[in-house]
Amino acid sequence: MDKRRLFSTYRVLIAVSILSAILRRDPHEMEFIQSVQEVVHSLEPVLTKYPQYVHVLERLVEPERVVIFKVSWVDDKGEAHVNRGFRVQFNQALGPYKGGLRFHPTVNLSVMKFLAFEQTLKNSLSSLSLGGGKGGSDFNPKGKSENEIMRFCYSFMEELYRHIGPNQVPIFDTPSGDIGVGPREIGYLFGQYRRLTSQYEGMLGPKGIQWGTSNLHPEATGYGVVYYAKEVLTDLHRDLKDLRCVVSGAGKVALYAVEKLISFGAVPVTISDTRGYLLDEEGFDRVKLSLIREIKAHNKNLREYTKSYPKAKYLDDTKPWAVKCDIAFPCATQNELNHADAMSLINVGCQIIIEGANMPCTAEAIDIFRKSKIWFGPGKAANAGGVAIQGLEMAQNSSRVQWTAEEVDMRLQEVMKDIYQKSMKAAQEYGIGNPEALLHGANIASFLRVAQAMLEQGCV
Ligand code: NDP
């Protein structure tokens, strides 16, 4: 057998052995397996070149600690309910565990582990001294009253506070928001944490601007996604101006991405939610975006928009991936863009996909993009702006200063540029060309930093 074939056989064997160990241990954790599979595939050339990393990878894919707890709460009618709470403290080799809290009925251990694993690599890529974690609950905040949400958050924190906080080294854990958790929930969680611990630490975000959040924290993920897209376009000698953009989701990430696209002169034509999608062929502008925010804030149907803009269309129970576009930004949730959706995007001429959500594209969809030579920016790189600003927020809180929005924005742009360049450099070093460079480069660069720290810390 020649040397190249031998290497490739070796790579496949490593990948198979690591994945089969996970499958044996946790066969039902489909999301977690999917996210590990993608990374292991990217790392094949690294593991061939540096076999010492094989054992590091085996240790990396096992979370350091998983906390699962009961959350009992009482609704407005006096009826008792019970939900399940999670905190996955995945890896602390680079610094304190950091990663959001998600409240959504689909939350389970597999989802938590995949998000925490992605977060570990994302935090590594963002060059901050932060480890990775994730938490949440299968509680559904939709349709609940303010008081019910407050009671749930209090009950959730009553257990979580035992596992987080700056004085509990090594369980130094700093949660923030994700799906179903925004400033309101963080406010209640923080209030309860402060009451239980008598500590006022900058550890939950984004809070109210008056009490410890950084300027631009709420916007950072969505803005960062667009800054990342801009880097891709610059390399392609193109500009965002006048490009048609299809965006999914209508939450924190999606709407701030739309806002930034508008400011760059791009033409975002869709947003979507769990009920369907909204298409405005003329593109959204700031006034239209305010209306969308108003509709979502009142939990109304996006169809409402068409009353003010009758030329716009609203489609029930449909995803926006068959709408003609230059760039697509999936910003809603995991696995929202599958094989058939990827084919639709290619058929309508889409040339670039930038993930705003965590793992919104299935493995089959990514394979279609690869075969069609579509540029694909993975979430762990493109949506790292939020955690990057949280890292900066911790620095501001501990030194009791607040940087201006302009200063934070400038730093955010630098972080996104750095993430892009680091991914490209890592891909080049391993001979991986475009358009796959962004995906594999991000996985390689992020892994190498955590892996090196783990190697230096011994077998922990
Ligand atoms: P939000 O809860 O603010 O918004 C989520 C949006 O996606 C909502 O509009 C929701 O619809 C829609 N959505 C959720 N599930 C589905 C589904 N199955 N089908 C269609 N639409 C769906 O969450 P975020 O914007 O905070 O998060 C979005 C994604 O970005 C997640 O993957 C998250 O992990 C990731 N992310 C978030 C960060 C943050 O700082 N918030 C940081 C990095 C990544 P509806 O309005 O009907 O509920």
Side-chain angles (χ1 to χ4, degrees):
M1 201 186 294
D2 70 36
K3 217 169 160 186
R4 268 179 60 188
R5 277 186 66 193
L6 191 70
F7 270 165
S8 101
T9 312
Y10 178 64
R11 287 174 183 185
V12 173
L13 283 176
I14 294 167
V16 168
S17 84
I18 292 173
L19 291 168
S20 56
I22 295 177
L23 275 166
R24 249 194 331 272
R25 212 159 32 199
D26 305 302
H28 308 299
E29 295 182 352
M30 296 319 293
E31 293 84 359
F32 180 58
I33 291 165
Q34 182 184 337
S35 65
V36 172
Q37 205 156 17
E38 178 204 290
V39 173
V40 171
H41 175 50
S42 293
L43 293 180
E44 285 170 11
V46 180
L47 302 177
T48 310
K49 194 166 170 192
Y50 300 111
Q52 68 267 35
Y53 284 136
V54 173
H55 296 300
V56 179
L57 180 61
E58 276 168 353
R59 281 190 283 129
L60 175 65
V61 295
E62 183 66 9
E64 291 177 0
R65 188 176 294 102
V66 175
V67 185
I68 301 181
F69 51 97
K70 178 168 91 173
V71 188
S72 310
W73 58 282
V74 177
D75 69 18
D76 289 345
K77 291 186 229 128
E79 278 174 31
H81 297 267
V82 63
N83 284 93
R84 189 168 280 179
F86 298 87
R87 187 70 186 162
V88 177
Q89 298 173 332
F90 211 95
N91 188 289
Q92 203 171 213
L94 290 174
Y97 302 113
K98 181 94 190 153
L101 293 173
R102 176 180 289 192
F103 291 167
H104 194 269
T106 56
V107 163
N108 57 34
L109 187 55
S110 170
V111 170
M112 290 287 100
K113 278 174 67 179
F114 117 69
L115 288 167
F117 177 63
E118 290 277 305
Q119 192 77 43
T120 301
L121 295 172
K122 186 186 310 187
N123 295 357
S124 168
L125 196 57
S126 70
S127 293
L128 294 159
S129 301
L130 292 172
K134 201 80 184 188
S137 172
D138 56 0
F139 172 74
N140 186 359
K142 275 191 195 158
K144 305 289 188 302
S145 71
E146 280 293 314
N147 277 329
E148 287 171 335
I149 287 174
M150 186 174 70
R151 282 197 291 274
F152 175 81
C153 289
Y154 282 2
S155 182
F156 182 82
M157 186 50 82
E158 239 168 80
E159 176 60 33
L160 186 69
Y161 91 96
R162 298 172 211 277
H163 312 286
I164 61 175
N167 297 325
Q168 293 197 43
V169 179
I171 316 173
F172 182 96
D173 190 343
T174 51
S176 54
D178 191 89
I179 291 180
V181 178
R184 174 184 59 178
E185 289 76 16
I186 291 289
Y188 294 144
L189 291 163
F190 184 70
Q192 180 72 331
Y193 172 80
R194 190 173 63 70
R195 184 161 63 178
L196 291 167
T197 62
S198 301
Q199 285 178 7
Y200 197 99
E201 301 302 328
M203 51 166 302
L204 291 153
K207 304 178 283 285
I209 194 77
Q210 298 304 323
W211 47 286
T213 194
S214 167
N215 273 309
L216 235 63
H217 185 168
E219 295 90 343
T221 304
Y223 282 15
V225 168
V226 178
Y227 290 147
Y228 180 89
K230 208 164 160 283
E231 293 301 321
V232 178
L233 286 163
T234 304
D235 252 5
L236 293 168
H237 308 291
R238 294 178 68 182
D239 200 289
L240 267 169
K241 192 160 170 21
D242 296 330
L243 292 190
R244 264 175 78 96
C245 303
V246 160
V247 179
S248 69
K252 299 180 286 297
V253 177
L255 296 187
Y256 283 119
V258 167
E259 185 176 297
K260 191 46 78 181
L261 286 171
I262 294 168
S263 77
F264 279 128
V267 189
V269 290
T270 67
I271 49 157
S272 71
D273 63 15
T274 43
R275 292 180 262 204
Y277 83 88
L278 178 67
L279 168 65
D280 187 333
E281 289 285 356
E282 289 170 358
F284 303 123
D285 57 25
R286 285 182 188 283
V287 177
K288 293 174 176 179
L289 186 57
S290 304
L291 173 63
I292 291 168
R293 287 211 164 99
E294 176 102 5
I295 292 169
K296 289 304 294 178
H298 292 94
N299 201 18
K300 290 191 189 153
N301 195 305
L302 285 171
R303 187 187 296 281
E304 289 278 314
Y305 178 96
T306 59
K307 289 184 188 158
S308 306
Y309 298 97
K311 282 198 212 152
K313 281 189 206 141
Y314 175 79
L315 287 96
D316 267 319
D317 296 325
T318 319
K319 297 190 271 186
W321 309 126
V323 172
K324 188 173 168 347
C325 64
D326 300 294
I327 313 187
F329 293 91
C331 295
T333 193
Q334 67 269 9
N335 292 331
E336 57 167 310
L337 201 161
N338 61 24
H339 178 274
D341 301 323
M343 295 298 291
S344 301
L345 277 172
I346 284 160
N347 288 338
V348 294
C350 180
Q351 299 132 45
I352 300 170
I353 318 286
I354 305 290
E355 292 187 325
N358 284 311
M359 206 172 73
C361 301
T362 63
E364 294 75 19
I366 295 174
D367 205 40
I368 295 287
F369 300 142
R370 183 181 60 79
K371 287 183 184 143
S372 312
K373 307 224 175 304
I374 299 285
W375 282 70
F376 173 77
K380 67 172 70 68
N383 71 26
V387 76
I389 294 305
Q390 270 168 24
L392 299 177
E393 178 176 298
M394 287 158 76
Q396 294 172 74
N397 283 353
S398 57
S399 52
R400 303 274 193 268
V401 293
Q402 189 161 52
W403 298 329
T404 62
E406 291 70 31
E407 196 171 348
V408 178
D409 195 36
M410 203 185 66
R411 288 174 192 251
L412 175 62
Q413 293 186 50
E414 281 167 8
V415 168
M416 298 317 295
K417 188 180 185 134
D418 183 58
I419 287 173
Y420 175 79
Q421 289 179 343
K422 240 188 279 169
S423 307
M424 291 303 275
K425 188 162 169 267
Q428 272 164 13
E429 276 170 23
Y430 286 88
I432 303 161
N434 298 324
E436 283 182 274
L438 293 176
L439 172 64
H440 297 316
N443 285 332
I444 291 171
S446 59
F447 169 76
L448 285 176
R449 185 162 171 248
V450 191
Q452 191 54 33
M454 287 176 69
L455 264 184
E456 287 165 11
Q457 290 167 25
C459 187
V460 288

